[in-house]
Amino acid sequence: MIGSCWRGPLTGALLMLAGSLAGAAAATQGPQQRVIEATGRVLAALEHQAPQFEQTPARIDARIREIVQPHFDFVRMAGWVLGKHWHNATPEQQLRFGHAFRQVLLSSYAATLRAYRGQGIEYLPLRADPAGGEVTVRSRTLQPGRAPVVLNYTLWERDGRWRVYDISVDGISLVANYRTRFAGEIKAHGLDALIMRLEQHNRTGEPLQ
């Protein structure tokens, strides 16, 4: 997704976070409770449905779209990633970039899901006051024989629901990483060229260099 050092822990963490939460109780849950419950639900689904996913990889994409899209603010993520270029973009460019960027993320989740083998998760005290409308949910993904991966999820409250708009792995922000990477490409080749490259990646499945 952003290089081999990100692909496994980052996309796996995002996928685990984005479990399906239904009903009125989900809408009123605090951000950390949403993360904890979502993680448990998705891990259980992966454990019970892994054989079916391995036999029919296309089901992975459908499952990811089902559980992820309602719980992430892809529009805000796209806007933050492009920065000033988002505000200077036409509505059509915003729409095309947002769609292409979302597909890039979802494709990475699918790749992670195919290789998923299970990890333990430890949650740390919540950072910031939920009453302020923005929080960081901190956790550590435990890996046997290796140092834990520190995963921080940044959520904000919109329309009474908490949604993720950034995640960092060992202090490295997803949004900041893409923002820096894409800024150089836009400066060199323009926003349309970046959009076309992402769209080409989504059509062909070629690695995103």
Side-chain angles (χ1 to χ4, degrees):
M1 182 167 150
I2 311 179
S4 59
C5 65
W6 280 73
R7 183 165 298 154
L10 173 61
T11 55
L14 282 168
L15 174 64
M16 289 186 291
L17 173 63
S20 176
L21 297 175
T28 59
Q29 276 186 319
Q32 190 165 39
Q33 289 71 34
R34 286 179 63 84
V35 170
I36 293 173
E37 181 175 340
T39 299
R41 291 170 64 94
V42 173
L43 290 178
L46 295 180
E47 180 179 355
H48 294 129
Q49 300 178 26
Q52 296 93 315
F53 285 152
E54 292 177 359
Q55 294 173 9
T56 313
R59 293 183 60 184
I60 298 174
D61 293 335
R63 179 60 174 158
I64 289 172
R65 284 167 174 75
E66 177 186 351
I67 66 176
V68 171
Q69 294 191 73
H71 304 291
F72 280 80
D73 193 334
F74 288 107
V75 174
R76 191 176 195 192
M77 293 174 77
W80 276 51
V81 165
L82 286 188
K84 65 179 181 181
H85 302 291
W86 177 263
H87 300 290
N88 295 331
T90 66
E92 180 184 3
Q93 287 174 320
Q94 291 179 346
L95 183 64
R96 287 180 60 197
F97 177 81
H99 178 74
F101 184 61
R102 180 183 63 192
Q103 294 303 109
V104 167
L105 295 178
L106 293 176
S107 295
S108 296
Y109 304 156
T112 298
L113 180 54
R114 294 187 186 100
Y116 184 79
R117 293 296 180 271
Q119 299 162 312
I121 300 175
E122 177 183 57
Y123 292 92
L124 305 176
L126 190 68
R127 181 178 292 167
D129 181 0
E134 183 173 306
V135 299
T136 298
V137 174
R138 300 183 296 159
S139 69
R140 300 195 305 170
T141 299
L142 308 178
Q143 306 178 101
R146 291 189 291 171
V149 176
V150 178
L151 303 165
N152 290 344
Y153 309 94
T154 305
L155 301 88
W156 77 311
E157 189 177 22
R158 187 181 73 174
D159 300 328
R161 294 177 64 92
W162 289 95
R163 290 178 172 85
V164 176
Y165 71 88
D166 194 15
I167 182 171
S168 66
V169 177
D170 290 335
I172 302 176
S173 161
L174 166 70
V175 169
N177 192 295
Y178 268 125
R179 182 172 177 141
T180 300
R181 177 178 175 181
F182 289 165
E185 186 168 348
I186 293 171
K187 182 177 180 180
H189 305 291
L191 178 57
D192 284 331
L194 170 62
I195 294 172
M196 287 189 288
R197 189 172 74 86
L198 296 181
E199 291 173 340
Q200 176 69 14
H201 162 77
N202 292 331
R203 285 193 299 269
T204 64
E206 296 175 356
L208 186 61
Q209 301 298 327

